[in-house]
C-alpha cells in the first residue's frame, strides 16, 4: 500500500505476513526505513494483575524515593508495579497469517489460542505520511486483555537519536540509570515501561532515527481518559498507555490499549475490543511529529476558537490588586526578627517543620511592578518595605560556609528560622532565586539602594565560590556537615542566572564569565541531552517549570552576549517544554457539571495548561496541570523569534478563557486543575505570580502585534515557577514615544472581557490605551473615559491615524488577535 509519501510492502515468510519494506519519499526518491517489522503483541492474564511493586535504588545505593517524600510514595508504588513495568500477564507475539485488500487499504488477520485479531491499514487521504489502523480483538477466553500497536519498525540502539513519550521523558540516548530515566525522564529508559495517559501531555510516542527520520504512533481522539467525564474528577483513570519499546524490550514506539487490569480490559469469551491509532513516518524530527499529533490529530489550534473570557486578564489584575492590599484576604503577616520588622504571606502548604506558621513572599518583580505602576500607598508603604526586610534577613550574614546564601524559602514564625521546603539543607539555586533574582528585581526599581547592592554582590561572590571548575553547582549542601546532598542527580537547572543578574546590575565582568561558564555546562549536559530536574524539593526535584526558565534565561544571556548558540539553546529548551503542555482530550462544548455549576467542556479543559511537575512522580499524576501559565510570555517571544505557531497557540490556550478556575470575588485562580474554582486556597502569595505572568504575557503580545513598536524593558525572571519577567522599572516606547507603564481603574473602562488594555503615560502626561483582542474573531468594544481629575481635550487613534471626538464613550472594532492604540490628551 502506498501514498504519495509513504509505502509499505508485505511478504509471506513461513505462512506469516511480515513487512518487507517501509519507505518514505525524500527529494523525489524513496528512502528505506531500517528495521521494518509488523509484529503484533497481545497481553493476557486470566486474573487481574496484582499491584506488587519492585524496589529501585538510586546510583548512590539508597532506596528510591526516600521515606520523607510522602507525596511521591503512592505514584511511585503504582509506577513500579508489574503492569507499569510491563511484566504483567503473558505476552503473545505473532505476525498476521492472512492478508487481503480492502476498498481503501489492507486487512491483516490472525488467530491464536486466546484471540482473533484483525487490523485494517489505510493511508490517511489528507496526511500523506500517516497510516491509520483500525484494530480489533475478539476474546476466545475470559480474562484481562491488552492489545498493542504492531511494531512498525524495530530500531537498533545505535540508530536512535531522540525519543519521547511527552510528559514523561525525552532524550538523545539510552539511559542505563533506571532512576534517572524513569523518575526524572533523563534519557531513554532501557526497559519497556508503559506510561499512563493522566500525565501524558500528547498521546503519542515518537522516535527519531539516524538520517533525519522520525516515527510515531498516536492514538486517535476518544481513547484517552477524559479527566472530567461528566460531574466529577476522573483524571486518575488509565485508559491508554504508551511506551518507547515493544514488550520484548526493542525500541519501537508502541501504544497499549486497554491497560491490563484497567477499565475495558476484562473480557468474556466472545467480547470484542477496538482501538484506532495512526503511524506517522516523516522526514524531519520529533517536533514535526509532535506538532502533527497536536494540531492535525488533536485539533489543538482549531479548538482555540472556543476560548472566550468572562473576565479579562486586565480586570483580573485589578481584582487581585484589591485582594493583595487587604491583609485578611492576602494573609499578610508582620513579624519581628533580628531587629527588623519583616512581612510575608502565610503559606499553608507542606513545609517540613511547619506548625501552620510558615510564611513566604512570591514574586518580588510583580510586587514592585504593581507598586510602581499603581502608585498605591497600601503597597508602597505597608507591604514593600517589610518585604524588603524579609529579603535582607533571609540572606545569611554570619561568617562561614553559607555566608551570603539564602537560608530558605520559608520563615517559620514560631521557631524564628528560615527553612527549605523539604529538608535541612541549603541550595545554590535558592541563592540564585531568593537572593539574586529578588534583590535584582528590587534594584531595577530602586537602583540607589546601596544596602541591596552590597547584598547582591555578597550573593554573587558565593555563587562564584560554589561554582565547580567546569561550571556546575551542587544541588544542595547539608546545613550541619556542609557536605553535598542529592549526589544521585546533577543540578540541571539555570543556577548560573544569578550571575547574569549580578552582571547586569553590578557590571562586574567576573560575573558574566561565571554565567557563561555555567550556561555552557548546562547546554552540554542538560539542553542538548534533554535532561532536566525541577526546583520543588517536596517532589524530590521532578522536572518542572525550570525547563521553561532555562529557555528564557538563555535568551537573556543571548541579549547580553549576542552569541547565537545561546539563542539556539533557548529555542531547543522551549521546544522541549512544549511537552509539558497538555493537548488532550480535544476540547468541546459538551455540558458538564462542576460543583453545581454547568460548564462547557472547553471551560475546564486541561488542553493548553502546563503541569507543575510531570513524569512518573510529579503532582500532575494526582492533581492534573496548573493555572500558573508563567511560560505564556516566553512562548509569545519564541513565536516572534521562530515563527513556529505552536508557541503562540499554546500561549493563548493557557491564558484565555480560564474563568472556571477563578474565585468569583477575588479573581485569583486556583493552582491545581482539580481544585477548579477554589481560588488561592492555602497559597495566597500565588496572586503575585498570577499578576506577574499575566503582565508578561500581555506585554509580549503587545510587542508582537505592534511589530516592536510597543516595547518595554524586561526585568529578571521570577523565582521558582517559571520564566515570566517584570516591567515598569524604566520607561518603554509606544510608537516612537517614551512612556511609563501605569495600572489604574480611574482612566478607562472596557466593556468587552475579550479585550485587554494596557496603559502607559507619556512624558507629556498623555495616556496611551493599548487594546488587545484575545480571540480569533473581530470584536466590538465600548470604551468609557473618566475625567475625575483631568479634562480630556483630544483622543487620537494611533494605529488608525484618525482623530476621535473627546467624548465620554465611543465604540471601536478590533481585528482577530488584533491591536489598537489610542492616545488621550488632557487639558
Amino acid at each position: 500500500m502506498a501514498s504519495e509519501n509513504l509505502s509499505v510492502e508485505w511478504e509471506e515468510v513461513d505462512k506469516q505476513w511480515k513487512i518487507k519494506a517501509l519507505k518514505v519519499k525524500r527529494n523525489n526518491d524513496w528512502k528505506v526505513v531500517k528495521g521494518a517489522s509488523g509484529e503484533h503483541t497481545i497481553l493476557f492474564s486470566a486474573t487481574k494483575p496484582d499491584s506488587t511493586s519492585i524496589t529501585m535504588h538510586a546510583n548512590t545505593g539508597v532506596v528510591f524515593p526516600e521515606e520523607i517524600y510522602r507525596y511521591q510514595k503512592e505514584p511511585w508504588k503504582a509506577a513500579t508495579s508489574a503492569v507499569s513495568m510491563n511484566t504483567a500477564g503473558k505476552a503473545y507475539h505473532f505476525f498476521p497469517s492472512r492478508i487481503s485488500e480492502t476498498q481503501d487499504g489492507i486487512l491483516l488477520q490472525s488467530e491464536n489460542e486466546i484471540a482473533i485479531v484483525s487490523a485494517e491499514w489505510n493511508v490517511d487521504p489528507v496526511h500523506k505520511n500517516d497510516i491509520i489502523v483500525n484494530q480489533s480483538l475478539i476474546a476466545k477466553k475470559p480474562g484481562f486483555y491488552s492489545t498493542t500497536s504492531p511494531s512498525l519498525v524495530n530500531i537498533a540502539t545505535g540508530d536512535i537519536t531522540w525519543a519521547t513519550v511527552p510528559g514523561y521523558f525525552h532524550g538523545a540516548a539510552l539511559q542505563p540509570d533506571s532512576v534517572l530515566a524513569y523518575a526524572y525522564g533523563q534519557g531513554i529508559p532501557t526497559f519497556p515501561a508503559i506510561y499512563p495517559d493522566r500525565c501524558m501531555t500528547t498521546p503519542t510516542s515518537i522516535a527519531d532515527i539516524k538520517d533525519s527520520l522520525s516515527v510515531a504512533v498516536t492514538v486517535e481522539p476518544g481513547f484517552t481518559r477524559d479527566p472530567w467525564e461528566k460531574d466529577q474528577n476522573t483524571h486518575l483513570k488509565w485508559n491508554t498507555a504508551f511506551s518507547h519499546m515493544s514488550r520484548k524490550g526493542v525500541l519501537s514506539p508502541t501504544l497499549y490499549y486497554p491497560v491490563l487490569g484497567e477499565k475495558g480490559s476484562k473480557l468474556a469469551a466472545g467480547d470484542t475490543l477496538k482501538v484506532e491509532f495512526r503511524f506517522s513516518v516523516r522526514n524531519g524530527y520529533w517536533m514535526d511529529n509532535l506538532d502533527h499529533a497536536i494540531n492535525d490529530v488533536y485539533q489543538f489550534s482549531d479548538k482555540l476558537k472556543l476560548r472566550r473570557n468572562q473576565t479579562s486578564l486586565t480586570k483580573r489584575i485589578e481584582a487581585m490588586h484589591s485582594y493583595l492590599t487587604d491583609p485578611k484576604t492576602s494573609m499578610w503577616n508582620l513579624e519581628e526578627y533580628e531587629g527588623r520588622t519583616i512581612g510575608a504571606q502565610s503559606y499553608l502548604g507542606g513545609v517540613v517543620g511547619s506548625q501552620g506558621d510558615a510564611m513566604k513572599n512570591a514574586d518580588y518583580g510583580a510586587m514592585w511592578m504593581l507598586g510602581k505602576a499603581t502608585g498605591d500607598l497600601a503597597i508602597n508603604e505597608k507591604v514593600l518595605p517589610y518585604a524588603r526586610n524579609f529579603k535582607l534577613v533571609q540572606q545569611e550574614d554570619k561568617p562561614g560556609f553559607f555566608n551570603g546564601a539564602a537560608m530558605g524559602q520559608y520563615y517559620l514564625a514560631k521557631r524564628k528560622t528560615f527553612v527549605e521546603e523539604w529538608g535541612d539543607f541549603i541550595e545554590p539555586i535558592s541563592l540564585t532565586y531568593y537572593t539574586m533574582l529578588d534583590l535584582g528585581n528590587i534594584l531595577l526599581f530602586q537602583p540607589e539602594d546601596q544596602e541591596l547592592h552590597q547584598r547582591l554582590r555578597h550573593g554573587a561572590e558565593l555563587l562564584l565560590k560554589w561554582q565547580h571548575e567546569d561550571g556546575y553547582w551542587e544541588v544542595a549542601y547539608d546545613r550541619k556537615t556542609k557536605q553535598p546532598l542529592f549526589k544521585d542527580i546533577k543540578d540541571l537547572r539555570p543556577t548560573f542566572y544569578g550571575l547574569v543578574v549580578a552582571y547586569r546590575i553590578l557590571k562586574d565582568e567576573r560575573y558574566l564569565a561565571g554565567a557563561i561558564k555555567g550556561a555552557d555546562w548546562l547546554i552540554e549536559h542538560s539542553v542538548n541531552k534533554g535532561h532536566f530536574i525541577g526546583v520543588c524539593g517536596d517532589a524530590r526535584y521532578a522536572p518542572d517549570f525550570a525547563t521553561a526558565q532555562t529557555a528564557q534565561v538563555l535568551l537573556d544571556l543571548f541579549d547580553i552576549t549576542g552569541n547565537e548558540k545561546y539563542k539556539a539553546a533557548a529555542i531547543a529548551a522551549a521546544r522541549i517544554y512544549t511537552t509539558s503542555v497538555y493537548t488532550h482530550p480535544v476540547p468541546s462544548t459538551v455540558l458538564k457539571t462542576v460543583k453545581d455549576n454547568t460548564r462547557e467542556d472547553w471551560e475546564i479543559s486541561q488542553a493548553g495548561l502546563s503541569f507543575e511537575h510531570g513524569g512518573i512522580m510529579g503532582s500532575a499524576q494526582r492533581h492534573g496541570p496548573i493555572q500558573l501559565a508563567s511560560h505564556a510570555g516566553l512562548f509569545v517571544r519564541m513565536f516572534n523569534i521562530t515563527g513556529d505557531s505552536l508557541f503562540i497557540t499554546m500561549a493563548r490556550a493557557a491564558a484565555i478563557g480560564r474563568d472556571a478556575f477563578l474565585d468569583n470575588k477575588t479573581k485569583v485562580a486556583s493552582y491545581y486543575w482539580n481544585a477548579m474554582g477554589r481560588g488561592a486556597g492555602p497559597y495566597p502569595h500565588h496572586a503575585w505570580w498570577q499578576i506577574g505572568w499575566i503582565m508578561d504575557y500581555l506585554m509580549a503580545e503587545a510587542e508582537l502585534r505592534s511589530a516592536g513598536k510597543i516595547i518595554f524593558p524586561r526585568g529578571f525572571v521570577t523565582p521558582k515557577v517559571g520564566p515570566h519577567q517584570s516591567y515598569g522599572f524604566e520607561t518603554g516606547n509606544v510608537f516612537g514615544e517614551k512612556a511609563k507603564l501605569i495600572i489604574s481603574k480611574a482612566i478607562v473602562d472596557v466593556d468587552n472581557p475579550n479585550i485587554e488594555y494596557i496603559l502607559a503615560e507619556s512624558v507629556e502626561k498623555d495616556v496611551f490605551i493599548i487594546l488587545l483582542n484575545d480571540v480569533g474573531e473581530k470584536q466590538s468594544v465600548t470604551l468609557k473615559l473618566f475625567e475625575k481629575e483631568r479634562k480630556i481635550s483630544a483622543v487620537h487613534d494611533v494605529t488608525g491615524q484618525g482623530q476621535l471626538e473627546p467624548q465620554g464613550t465611543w465604540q471601536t472594532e478590533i481585528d482577530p488577535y488584533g491591536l489598537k492604540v489610542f492616545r488621550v490628551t488632557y487639558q
Side-chain angles (χ1 to χ4, degrees):
M1 59 182 294
S3 71
E4 297 169 15
N5 296 341
L6 203 60
S7 169
V8 188
E9 300 173 27
W10 283 266
E11 68 174 352
E12 188 178 25
V13 179
D14 297 330
K15 297 183 179 181
Q16 295 180 318
W17 286 93
K18 301 180 179 182
I19 297 178
K20 178 184 179 182
L22 173 65
K23 301 175 185 178
V24 62
K25 181 68 71 67
R26 178 182 291 178
N27 298 328
N28 297 319
D29 199 3
W30 288 100
K31 170 71 179 175
V32 175
V33 183
K34 292 194 298 183
S37 171
E39 185 175 38
H40 286 245
T41 299
I42 298 172
L43 306 182
F44 174 77
S45 178
T47 58
K48 186 172 183 177
D50 67 45
S51 57
T52 303
S53 58
I54 64 170
T55 299
M56 283 192 184
H57 294 82
N59 53 41
T60 54
V62 302
V63 174
F64 185 92
E66 298 89 332
E67 282 295 320
I68 191 174
Y69 296 102
R70 64 175 185 264
Y71 297 144
Q72 281 64 55
K73 185 177 179 180
E74 289 305 314
W76 185 255
K77 181 180 178 182
T80 52
S81 69
V83 171
S84 294
M85 297 302 290
N86 206 359
T87 58
K90 180 180 178 181
Y92 291 81
H93 305 288
F94 56 93
F95 287 90
S97 55
R98 296 186 300 279
I99 190 168
S100 58
E101 289 185 280
T102 64
Q103 182 176 346
D104 299 312
I106 296 292
L107 178 64
L108 297 160
Q109 296 173 297
S110 54
E111 183 175 351
N112 57 29
E113 63 189 76
I114 61 164
I116 301 168
V117 177
S118 63
E120 185 174 350
W121 295 43
N122 296 292
V123 172
D124 188 322
V126 177
H127 306 292
K128 306 295 186 178
N129 286 81
D130 286 13
I131 297 167
I132 299 174
V133 181
N134 283 277
Q135 186 166 290
S136 66
L137 176 150
I138 301 173
K140 295 172 69 174
K141 292 183 178 181
F144 293 83
Y145 289 79
S146 178
T147 61
T148 75
S149 57
S151 296
L152 182 66
V153 291
N154 292 329
I155 304 167
T157 56
D159 287 340
I160 196 84
T161 60
W162 193 271
T164 183
V165 172
Y168 285 102
F169 77 86
H170 31 67
L174 290 170
Q175 171 61 269
D177 187 318
S178 295
V179 170
L180 292 182
Y182 199 41
Y184 292 96
Q186 294 180 14
I188 307 167
T190 57
F191 49 91
I194 63 172
Y195 295 92
D197 46 9
R198 71 180 71 100
C199 195
M200 189 183 307
T201 51
T202 301
T204 188
S205 176
I206 306 171
D208 287 359
I209 311 169
K210 284 181 179 178
D211 204 15
S212 304
L213 289 168
S214 186
V215 180
V217 62
T218 306
V219 72
E220 291 294 285
F223 288 94
T224 61
R225 64 93 187 88
D226 183 335
W228 198 280
E229 290 177 1
K230 184 180 179 183
D231 57 6
Q232 61 183 317
N233 185 346
T234 49
H235 174 69
L236 294 180
K237 288 190 175 183
W238 189 4
N239 287 11
T240 63
F242 281 86
S243 183
H244 56 299
M245 285 183 169
S246 68
R247 174 65 173 252
K248 290 182 174 180
V250 177
L251 287 166
S252 186
T254 306
L255 161 72
Y256 291 77
Y257 177 87
V259 177
L260 203 65
E262 298 294 324
K263 179 183 177 182
S265 67
K266 186 177 182 180
L267 302 179
D271 284 351
T272 300
L273 64 84
K274 297 181 178 181
V275 64
E276 185 176 358
F277 52 88
R278 68 177 59 219
F279 294 117
S280 302
V281 185
R282 63 189 61 242
N283 298 297
Y285 303 95
W286 65 274
M287 271 301 299
D288 301 306
N289 262 326
L290 182 68
D291 186 275
H292 170 54
I294 290 172
N295 285 321
D296 297 331
V297 182
Y298 278 84
Q299 307 165 51
F300 187 70
S301 59
D302 182 61
K303 294 302 179 181
L304 184 61
K305 66 186 179 185
L306 292 174
R307 303 218 141 269
R308 293 290 185 277
N309 289 328
Q310 295 173 19
T311 304
S312 70
L313 295 169
T314 309
K315 299 274 190 189
R316 282 175 59 182
I317 290 175
E318 293 173 355
M320 286 188 284
H321 174 199
S322 300
Y323 163 84
L324 287 164
T325 50
D326 183 335
K328 289 185 178 180
T329 56
S330 65
M331 301 187 199
W332 179 251
N333 307 286
L334 295 178
E335 296 283 341
E336 296 300 317
Y337 182 84
E338 295 186 351
R340 296 180 189 262
T341 302
I342 63 174
Q345 292 170 271
S346 295
Y347 180 87
L348 304 179
V351 177
V352 170
S354 173
Q355 302 171 52
D357 60 334
M359 296 163 50
K360 176 177 181 171
N361 288 318
D363 191 335
Y364 273 70
M367 294 171 80
W368 262 257
M369 175 176 66
L370 191 66
K372 180 74 176 287
T374 62
D376 188 349
L377 297 182
I379 299 174
N380 291 318
E381 294 183 0
K382 296 182 179 180
V383 173
L384 301 189
Y386 306 111
R388 176 187 178 276
N389 286 349
F390 185 93
K391 194 54 49 184
L392 291 173
V393 301
Q394 192 176 20
Q395 187 181 26
E396 178 64 81
D397 62 354
K398 298 181 180 64
F401 184 78
F402 295 118
N403 185 229
M407 297 306 291
Q409 298 177 54
Y410 306 91
Y411 178 69
L412 302 183
K414 293 179 181 178
R415 289 168 47 192
K416 290 189 177 296
T417 187
F418 284 88
V419 297
E420 258 314 327
E421 193 165 28
W422 220 245
D424 197 18
F425 49 77
I426 305 295
E427 299 178 69
I429 200 165
S430 288
L431 169 54
T432 284
Y433 281 164
Y434 306 112
T435 294
M436 310 305 292
L437 267 65
D438 285 341
L439 293 182
N441 271 321
I442 297 173
L443 282 166
L444 291 174
F445 291 89
Q446 298 176 197
E448 304 306 319
D449 194 325
Q450 292 305 310
E451 185 175 15
L452 295 191
H453 275 272
Q454 294 171 5
R455 292 301 193 96
L456 187 70
R457 186 175 296 279
H458 204 26
E461 293 299 324
L462 184 57
L463 270 180
L464 285 180
K465 180 180 177 181
W466 277 351
Q467 187 177 31
H468 287 272
E469 182 60 31
D470 56 358
Y472 76 97
W473 284 266
E474 297 293 340
V475 173
Y477 293 101
D478 185 278
R479 274 200 188 211
K480 296 174 182 174
T481 67
K482 318 296 191 295
Q483 294 301 305
L485 296 175
F486 304 104
K487 296 296 288 182
D488 57 315
I489 53 178
K490 296 289 187 183
D491 182 29
L492 303 172
R493 302 172 294 191
T495 303
F496 75 87
Y497 189 57
L499 294 173
V500 173
V501 175
Y503 172 74
R504 185 169 157 186
I505 297 290
L506 302 172
K507 309 303 182 185
D508 190 323
E509 293 291 336
R510 295 181 304 125
Y511 302 149
L512 180 58
I516 288 172
K517 184 193 293 187
D520 290 347
W521 183 90
L522 194 70
I523 291 169
E524 179 184 353
H525 294 86
S526 173
V527 178
N528 290 348
K529 294 180 178 180
H531 294 189
F532 300 89
I533 66 169
V535 299
C536 295
D538 59 346
R540 208 188 186 277
Y541 308 112
D544 60 16
F545 13 61
T547 304
Q549 261 185 344
T550 296
Q552 182 60 65
V553 302
L554 286 169
L555 269 188
D556 287 1
L557 189 58
F558 166 71
D559 289 340
I560 292 172
T561 65
N563 191 327
E564 289 287 334
K565 79 174 180 179
Y566 299 124
K567 182 168 76 170
I571 294 168
R575 286 191 162 132
I576 290 171
Y577 193 72
T578 63
T579 67
S580 294
V581 178
Y582 280 83
T583 62
H584 75 107
V586 178
S588 72
T589 56
V590 171
L591 296 180
K592 296 183 175 181
T593 303
V594 182
K595 299 177 182 178
D596 298 324
N597 294 314
T598 299
R599 299 283 187 187
E600 292 188 2
D601 172 75
W602 67 264
E603 295 183 84
I604 60 170
S605 172
Q606 292 185 351
L609 299 177
S610 61
F611 49 59
E612 179 186 39
H613 21 73
I616 285 300
M617 61 180 186
S619 62
Q621 287 285 339
R622 294 165 290 133
H623 303 315
I626 58 174
Q627 307 302 316
L628 200 61
S630 180
H631 64 285
L634 165 69
F635 273 21
V636 175
R637 289 186 280 278
M638 280 294 166
F639 170 67
N640 208 5
I641 292 168
T642 66
D644 185 343
S645 63
L646 182 60
F647 285 123
I648 193 69
T649 304
M650 283 188 164
R652 290 168 178 168
I656 307 306
R658 296 293 174 180
D659 300 270
F661 300 94
L662 303 184
D663 176 75
N664 285 332
K665 182 178 180 181
T666 66
K667 303 306 178 185
V668 181
S670 61
Y671 185 54
Y672 295 113
W673 169 87
N674 66 341
M676 292 294 164
R678 194 182 302 164
Y683 314 114
H685 61 287
H686 282 205
W688 289 113
W689 275 324
Q690 291 175 34
I691 288 173
W693 82 254
I694 289 172
M695 282 300 301
D696 187 39
Y697 167 69
L698 293 177
M699 299 301 280
E701 285 274 25
E703 181 178 346
L704 170 71
R705 299 184 197 187
S706 68
K709 293 179 181 178
I710 299 172
I711 187 166
F712 282 74
R714 298 194 311 272
F716 304 114
V717 303
T718 190
K720 193 171 185 176
V721 301
H724 71 260
Q725 297 176 296
S726 57
Y727 296 81
F729 51 90
E730 291 178 2
T731 58
N733 192 293
V734 179
F735 284 83
E737 288 201 50
K738 288 186 176 181
K740 68 176 184 178
L741 182 69
I742 58 174
I743 296 173
S744 174
K745 292 188 286 186
I747 293 174
V748 66
D749 183 63
V750 176
D751 74 339
N752 186 333
N754 293 307
I755 303 298
E756 308 294 346
Y757 62 96
I758 302 168
L759 303 178
E761 187 178 73
S762 74
V763 176
E764 293 84 7
K765 302 297 182 182
D766 291 354
V767 172
F768 291 101
I769 303 173
I770 302 162
L771 302 176
L772 302 167
N773 183 355
D774 281 336
V775 298
E777 296 177 2
K778 182 176 285 190
Q779 294 287 298
S780 296
V781 57
T782 300
L783 289 86
K784 180 179 180 181
L785 289 172
F786 302 116
E787 295 184 310
K788 290 183 179 179
E789 297 178 2
R790 296 191 290 168
K791 189 169 180 61
I792 298 166
S793 62
V795 178
H796 183 72
D797 183 347
V798 177
T799 43
Q801 301 300 314
Q803 189 82 11
L804 285 81
E805 290 296 323
Q807 54 194 17
T809 63
W810 79 90
Q811 284 190 323
T812 189
E813 288 188 334
I814 306 179
D815 289 335
Y817 300 117
L819 167 86
K820 273 197 176 181
V821 180
F822 295 97
R823 179 173 184 155
V824 182
T825 303
Y826 297 88
Q827 293 180 2

